[in-house]
Amino acid sequence: MLSEHKVMIGLEVHAQLTSLKSKLFCSCSADYRNLPPNTSVCETCLGLPGSLPHLNGKAIEEVLKIALALHSKPSENTLFYRKHYFYPDMAKNFQISQYDRGGGVTIASGGWMQLSVGNLIKNVRVRRVQLEEDVAKIVYPSSLLQSEYVLVDYNRAGVALCEMVTEPDMTSPKEARLFIEKYATILQHLGVTDTSLEGSLRVDANISIDGGDRVELKNINSPKDVEKALNYEVQRQIMLVEKGSKIRMETRHWDEMNKITVAPRFKEEEEDYRYFPESDLPPLRINPDLVKKLEETLPELPDQRVERLGKQYQLTEYQASVLVSEKRLADSYEEAVKKGLNPSQAADWFINEVLGDLAEAKKDISELPKMVDSAVNVIMQVQVGAITGKIGKRLMKQLILNGSLPSETPKPITDEKTLYDLVREVISENPEVFDKARSDPKAVNYLVGQVMKKTRGTAEPKKIVEMINGELRKNN
Ligand code: ADP
Ligand code: ZN
Ligand code: MG
């Protein structure tokens, strides 16, 4: 049914700049998540009369980094606008944002991101990248439709938000999900947004079919929900069109609890935001030297990292791109390999076991880095044959679920003396191999393997190689 209809999807993605300590226009803490409601607020972010906004300069840098990573062109000058609407999530009845019409210039415009869809490479064009303030959080005591009242928490109001708008270049809900997932890992690699924080990445998805009017699905919290909401909306629109109705331009909300899109309870005001320049903030010149410096110091980005991992560790493109799809996964993997794991086998462990175990334990990837040492311990034991793969997988599952290995698991041998004794032991058990080891690296490897077995895979192979080489030099 889907393939007979032409689907067009364009996204507006809001990312909180969680790297910033304070809000965009005041010095209130931007780290609001674990605070009691309405405690990280001041006259500016509450919009009290007489208060003035002061721009947090670091926010400009962070948005520029995002723009550069998306090949978007920084403007020479930029300015802020007031975007008016009346809703309890904004105390001052306007949001300080940017605007790209009628003389408005956003921080950057144009650009593109490359997307792998199956075997195809697809370009999604970026329309603009801009900076705005976040609004308060509206808390629904039950579902969107059933709640009889709402609660408002202004802690989030004024937090710096980067809005990135694409052209309507995506042609399926799945492409939209892939786009957001890739954008998320770009933000992670830039270090601007910790996307694992609840609500740090929020999407408005616009969708039209067969050239009809577009419907905007507001405020969706995860890539998977964007795909679900769009799938729902495609089916809903197709049904209407096939019944002969016309799709009207409207805004709908994604009801996470009931998995449907719903029309707002109150007809939202016509989208006339009466934009006008924010006269409390002067136009801003973007220093070309700053742009140049940021360009030169941009960190390694996901596409480059996929390529490097492929080359450096002989990984398939599939392996490399799954690892890089989450920065913390790729970081943990690389840390594990540095500890001496076989790169290709380690990749399989991380992709096939660790990811699945995290999902099963309902744990976020941010829990992984502190478990890397123990994960290496398990994989190493399997790699040296101290335990079977089956037992290893069971141990890994326990590790991910409990955050630590069962107490009877052998602890890594880090004591040099213990390790040295084992090295001596293996040498005296294998005198001929030790003899060969002077000229044959394979023999060295064999000895290392024997020592590793005695440590049940818990030692660092590099250390053992050093010790064996030391013994070889002594006996020369
Ligand atoms: P604005 O809301 O600022 O006036 P547009 O309405 O042109 O800007 O676009 C807003 C978003 O809607 C963009 O992400 C764009 O890609 C998307 N969009 C525009 N036209 C369509 C369409 N026909 N179908 C789906 N999405 C669209
Ligand atoms: Zn404040
Ligand atoms: Mg916006």
Side-chain angles (χ1 to χ4, degrees):
M1 194 150 80
L2 210 163
S3 58
E4 296 161 29
H5 294 273
K6 182 170 176 280
V7 174
M8 262 167 89
I9 297 169
L11 302 173
E12 296 163 61
V13 189
H14 301 88
Q16 281 181 347
L17 302 176
T18 58
S19 56
L20 303 188
K21 292 208 164 41
S22 51
K23 294 186 181 181
L24 184 53
F25 298 117
C26 61
S27 54
C28 290
S29 170
D31 187 8
Y32 62 86
R33 282 186 175 72
N34 297 314
L35 299 177
N38 299 308
T39 54
S40 185
V41 292
C42 71
E43 58 278 14
T44 300
C45 54
L46 284 177
L48 299 186
S51 62
L52 284 173
H54 295 273
L55 178 65
N56 182 341
K58 177 113 192 285
I60 301 279
E61 289 191 24
E62 301 300 71
V63 173
L64 283 170
K65 284 188 208 162
I66 296 172
L68 292 170
L70 297 174
H71 317 278
S72 186
K73 191 174 175 303
S75 311
E76 284 169 24
N77 296 286
T78 189
L79 62 166
F80 291 95
Y81 273 72
R82 293 183 176 187
K83 177 182 179 179
H84 297 82
Y85 65 89
F86 298 95
Y87 203 62
D89 65 7
M90 270 190 331
K92 57 185 189 278
N93 284 334
F94 62 83
Q95 175 194 26
I96 303 180
S97 180
Q98 298 197 287
Y99 192 49
D100 64 357
R101 269 149 291 178
V105 194
T106 55
I107 292 185
S109 57
W112 47 270
M113 187 210 283
Q114 232 172 38
L115 214 55
S116 302
V117 186
N119 295 325
L120 295 175
I121 299 281
K122 162 159 199 167
N123 252 344
V124 174
R125 288 166 302 156
V126 170
R127 187 177 287 181
R128 63 173 188 265
V129 186
Q130 69 179 46
L131 183 59
E132 61 190 31
E133 57 180 341
D134 206 343
V135 296
K137 194 175 156 85
I138 303 246
V139 182
Y140 298 91
S142 66
S143 83
L144 196 68
L145 282 180
Q146 280 124 22
S147 301
E148 291 185 347
Y149 61 93
V150 297
L151 299 167
V152 189
D153 177 4
Y154 286 97
N155 284 349
R156 194 178 73 182
V159 166
L161 212 55
C162 173
E163 176 177 325
M164 186 268 305
V165 181
T166 77
E167 296 292 340
D169 287 347
M170 286 150 280
T171 54
S172 71
K174 182 180 164 201
E175 278 180 24
R177 171 174 56 82
L178 292 173
F179 181 92
I180 299 160
E181 284 172 351
K182 176 136 183 207
Y183 186 52
T185 188
I186 289 176
L187 297 172
Q188 292 162 12
H189 280 81
L190 290 170
V192 298
T193 304
D194 181 349
T195 59
S196 71
L197 293 174
E198 192 267 319
S200 59
L201 198 66
R202 307 196 299 274
V203 179
D204 298 342
N206 297 273
I207 173 157
S208 64
I209 65 167
D210 302 334
D213 276 352
R214 71 183 164 93
V215 167
E216 180 172 12
L217 306 177
K218 277 245 183 257
N219 241 329
I220 315 176
N221 260 313
S222 78
K224 285 201 182 78
D225 272 358
V226 169
E227 185 175 15
K228 279 186 209 153
L230 285 170
N231 271 325
Y232 179 89
E233 190 56 25
V234 169
Q235 299 307 332
R236 191 187 72 86
Q237 291 191 18
I238 286 176
M239 228 163 64
L240 284 174
V241 167
E242 289 184 348
K243 273 202 310 212
S245 328
K246 206 169 164 306
I247 305 292
R248 281 170 308 120
M249 179 114 137
E250 67 170 337
T251 298
R252 297 175 72 84
H253 294 279
W254 172 237
D255 183 339
E256 241 170 80
M257 221 174 277
N258 297 307
K259 309 282 174 225
I260 54 173
T261 67
V262 293
R265 263 184 306 183
F266 304 104
K267 197 90 204 93
E268 263 160 29
E269 287 301 299
E270 202 215 331
E271 299 229 348
D272 177 8
Y273 293 126
R274 292 172 299 117
Y275 278 98
F276 60 72
E278 167 57 273
S279 50
D280 288 339
L281 291 163
L284 192 78
R285 195 178 89 89
I286 297 178
N287 186 343
D289 292 337
L290 172 67
V291 174
K292 201 160 154 250
K293 190 197 98 196
L294 292 172
E295 214 161 10
E296 285 163 2
T297 53
L298 223 50
E300 183 181 49
L301 291 170
D303 284 343
Q304 301 163 323
R305 193 171 193 186
V306 167
E307 216 182 299
R308 176 176 62 77
L309 291 192
K311 282 200 192 116
Q312 189 171 344
Y313 304 117
Q314 274 92 51
L315 302 182
T316 65
E317 193 180 330
Y318 169 76
Q319 287 176 314
S321 45
V322 174
L323 291 170
V324 173
S325 68
E326 281 284 349
K327 179 172 185 291
R328 287 184 174 110
L329 181 65
D331 290 351
S332 301
Y333 165 78
E334 289 210 78
E335 201 188 319
V337 169
K338 285 203 188 90
K339 301 208 167 186
L341 294 183
N342 169 299
S344 169
Q345 285 173 18
D348 287 339
W349 272 93
F350 275 85
I351 293 167
N352 301 331
E353 306 305 322
V354 171
L355 270 185
D357 294 343
L358 280 167
E360 211 180 301
K362 295 200 167 44
K363 286 203 174 171
D364 187 77
I365 210 108
S366 54
E367 311 239 9
L368 181 59
K370 56 178 186 280
M371 296 191 268
V372 170
D373 284 346
S374 300
V376 170
N377 182 346
V378 173
I379 301 169
M380 192 73 97
Q381 292 191 60
V382 177
Q383 283 186 0
V384 301
I387 57 173
T388 65
K390 207 168 146 194
I391 292 178
K393 285 176 192 175
R394 213 172 57 211
L395 271 178
M396 186 66 84
K397 216 184 267 298
Q398 287 179 332
L399 164 64
I400 304 282
L401 189 66
N402 305 325
S404 59
L405 286 168
S407 51
E408 67 273 17
T409 315
K411 294 272 172 304
I413 296 184
T414 46
D415 178 50
E416 301 248 334
K417 169 86 172 60
T418 315
L419 202 57
Y420 183 64
D421 288 346
L422 291 176
V423 167
R424 296 289 309 239
E425 205 175 296
V426 165
I427 290 175
S428 64
E429 284 165 9
N430 301 277
E432 319 86 74
V433 184
F434 182 63
D435 226 34
K436 263 203 239 154
R438 284 175 220 290
S439 54
D440 184 359
K442 272 205 203 112
V444 177
N445 280 343
Y446 176 80
L447 294 172
V448 174
Q450 293 308 106
V451 180
M452 284 301 283
K453 237 182 208 164
K454 282 187 193 281
T455 70
R456 300 199 55 194
T458 64
E460 239 187 283
K462 247 200 289 181
K463 273 255 151 59
I464 303 172
V465 174
E466 276 165 24
M467 286 183 179
I468 291 176
N469 283 336
E471 290 306 289
L472 285 171
R473 278 195 298 275
K474 263 194 223 164
N475 286 283
N476 249 337

